[in-house]
Amino acid sequence: MSRRILIAGASMGGLRAAERLRASGFMGEIVAVGDEIHMPYNRPPLSKEALAAEVTHEAVAFRLRPAVADVTWRLGVPIASADLDAGAVRLADGAELAYDGLVVATGMRPRRLPTPGPARGRHVVRTLDDARALRGDLGPGARVLVVGAGFIGCEVAATARLLGADVTVVAPEAVPMRRPLGDDLGAALQRRHERHGVRFLLGRTVSAFLGADRVAGAELSDGTRLDADVVVEAVGSASNTEWLDGNGLDLSDGVLCDNALRVEGRAGVVAVGDVARFPNPRYDGVARRVEHWSIPTDTAKRAAVTLLADLALGAADPAPFAPLPTFWSDQYDLRIQSFGAPALGADDIRVLDGDLDGEVVVGYHDGGALVGVVLIGLPSAVARYRAELMRAPAAA
Amino acid sequence: MKVVVDMDVCKDHGQCVFSAPEVFQINENGRLVYVAESDESLRDAVEEAADVCPLQAITIED
């Protein structure tokens, strides 16, 4: 009898899971359900080059390999609920879908500020439609207030400056990108942003947005008032797991998984991408979600194998799953690349090569062992430090 | 196997080099160079390289 695997989520992790299910010989039906109307696309450019140009699906869409041509895509409809004991989900349009295996790939959504004030003119950047809406409001002379000084906020700030906007960043931290880069590198990056004309108002939050029918400014926690035509809220993200409520799962921070990406205690259910909280034996074995670009692909590959083994359709992979997280950030002409887990080495940060205001390699250590590396430029050094991270024994 | 990298899109991240060093290299100027006609035995490695390319610039044409 033909079996059906349901993939909940039609972004990168869902696509990679479908590809790997087929590559591992699964011949049954694959149905992918996504709340966005778009076929899977690559999100990082949405705060970088795609935002600087015209934001189109074509520019960011993942190519569909022939092997996944027969996947059924149910797009534009969220999943309302799941009954894992029965093996079925209910979609928001009322349709019910039974499955033999389930891949949880519903990802994250941006947190919104609870701040009072008008809603129009306030943006987030997660989806293609978000980026399109923001792009429409950006332009020369636009007064842009970025709330949040993490990577997304700083990328949007840089892109908005390149488009000629007047940009202010407000955040509670003392330096941008403090987590995970640390104070010194964060401060060095702040100086570079300031040289490009970005203004930082740090150590404060927004207490109210001002304006009548759309945002015209903001009042900050220290009483400062500033004018703004556009607000970008880049204040972190929340897991899309509400549809799994009522199944007895630990959903306190994403979906708790074992090292093989099996949702804890549930054969035939796996999770992939940034919603999956899994232990990584490369580090301390504590289960964590990882919001790095490389993780959907790495987790999907392993989760597909685990799922097929649970369904008696393939062999399990006995090797520990120990991915090396990787992400990058482009800000102006700076290429920032991160390998490993800098956040786990935040108490012992050393400049390994170069200098903080030029090209630099920064190492993050735990118990004296290198656990993460961030490079600005220095492409010729990438291979060496990456190899060192791959070799490094797990910290105690 | 014909490997194509869209060099208008490529930004020399070099992630592909770790997946398929036989096919992709970063030269001394920091630019990506690659072997367009590569042996079929490297298909899995090149597919892996295509997966991990941040700009999704790599395709296998046959």
Side-chain angles (χ1 to χ4, degrees):
Chain A
M1 209 184 85
S2 176
R3 309 251 228 148
R4 174 190 283 163
I5 292 178
L6 184 91
I7 300 177
S11 190
M12 185 187 200
L15 172 64
R16 295 285 183 247
E19 288 171 348
R20 184 47 52 132
L21 287 167
R22 286 287 183 250
S24 301
F26 178 65
M27 309 283 280
E29 189 186 359
I30 300 177
V31 179
V33 180
D35 60 349
E36 290 181 62
I37 60 167
H38 306 291
M39 288 292 283
Y41 59 88
N42 200 21
R43 295 188 195 279
L46 297 178
S47 50
K48 310 182 183 86
E49 57 270 33
L51 184 62
E54 190 190 354
V55 185
T56 65
H57 182 255
E58 194 191 357
V60 290
F62 286 116
R63 264 184 307 277
L64 286 189
R65 293 186 173 150
V68 293
D70 63 350
V71 170
T72 302
W73 301 90
R74 302 269 307 243
L75 300 177
V77 54
I79 299 177
S81 62
D83 182 339
L84 300 187
D85 290 333
V89 299
R90 183 183 295 277
L91 308 189
D93 63 7
E96 234 185 82
L97 282 171
Y99 61 79
D100 300 288
L102 176 65
V103 180
V104 176
T106 40
M108 316 288 290
R109 62 177 178 275
R111 287 191 195 283
R112 299 303 306 246
L113 292 168
T115 313
R120 273 188 68 209
R122 288 167 62 177
H123 296 268
V124 291
V125 189
R126 176 80 182 181
T127 69
L128 183 64
D129 294 343
D130 292 339
R132 253 184 209 148
L134 173 58
R135 183 67 181 87
D137 275 1
L138 289 182
R143 294 167 304 179
V144 178
L145 167 59
V146 178
V147 185
F151 282 97
I152 301 279
C154 288
E155 287 172 3
V156 170
T159 306
R161 277 302 296 148
L162 294 175
L163 291 169
D166 174 74
V167 181
T168 303
V169 176
V170 171
E173 306 93 305
V175 297
M177 295 169 280
R178 178 166 193 269
R179 207 178 59 91
L181 298 184
D183 287 329
D184 294 346
L185 183 52
L189 287 168
Q190 178 178 343
R191 290 193 288 276
R192 299 195 200 214
H193 273 274
E194 286 169 343
R195 279 202 293 277
H196 282 91
V198 173
R199 181 161 67 127
F200 286 85
L201 298 174
L202 299 170
R204 38 207 131 171
T205 55
V206 177
S207 18
F209 290 111
L210 311 173
D213 62 331
R214 68 166 291 143
V215 164
E219 182 172 314
L220 308 186
S221 50
D222 64 348
T224 306
R225 283 179 166 234
L226 50 109
D227 296 332
D229 311 301
V230 185
V231 171
V232 181
E233 301 179 13
V235 291
S237 46
S239 303
N240 294 320
T241 54
E242 289 82 358
W243 63 282
L244 285 166
D245 283 347
N247 287 285
L249 303 180
D250 179 348
L251 303 174
S252 55
D253 181 21
V255 182
L256 182 60
C257 302
D258 64 21
N259 180 246
L261 283 323
R262 183 182 299 104
V263 173
E264 277 227 327
R266 291 281 177 175
V269 182
V270 294
V272 306
D274 45 17
V275 79
R277 178 158 54 106
F278 65 95
N280 188 340
R282 182 178 296 286
Y283 305 108
D284 52 10
V286 173
R288 290 188 183 87
R289 294 186 312 94
V290 185
E291 294 182 45
H292 287 188
W293 185 81
S294 61
I295 288 298
T297 298
D298 289 338
T299 53
K301 287 179 175 180
R302 173 53 75 94
V305 171
T306 298
L307 184 55
L308 292 179
D310 278 0
L311 298 177
L313 294 171
D317 183 345
F321 176 62
L324 183 74
T326 302
F327 76 93
W328 79 98
S329 178
D330 291 330
Q331 297 171 32
Y332 314 104
D333 55 349
L334 300 177
R335 158 76 41 79
I336 304 167
Q337 285 180 287
S338 170
F339 298 93
L344 298 184
D347 294 333
D348 184 0
I349 304 175
R350 308 174 202 165
V351 173
L352 302 179
D353 206 347
D355 71 275
L356 286 170
D357 289 298
E359 294 192 283
V360 71
V361 182
V362 179
Y364 301 78
H365 305 76
D366 183 15
L370 187 69
V371 292
V373 167
V374 173
L375 298 96
I376 298 178
L378 291 174
S380 58
V382 170
R384 177 157 50 96
Y385 287 105
R386 186 179 178 281
E388 197 169 325
L389 285 168
M390 295 293 280
R391 205 170 43 232
Chain B
M1 173 178 55
K2 185 154 192 281
V3 180
V4 177
V5 180
D6 184 338
M7 294 307 288
D8 291 335
V9 172
C10 173
K11 288 198 170 174
D12 308 302
H13 279 260
Q15 292 289 324
C16 50
V17 176
F18 304 118
S19 300
E22 304 88 344
V23 177
F24 304 99
Q25 285 181 10
I26 295 288
N27 70 14
E28 62 275 15
N29 300 320
R31 296 306 313 272
L32 180 76
V33 292
Y34 67 104
V35 185
E37 289 292 340
S38 287
D39 192 81
E40 186 59 33
S41 64
L42 296 169
R43 182 173 291 269
D44 283 355
V46 175
E47 286 196 347
E48 165 92 22
D51 281 353
V52 302
C53 170
L55 281 302
Q56 295 290 295
I58 302 170
T59 38
I60 303 173
E61 293 216 328
D62 59 43

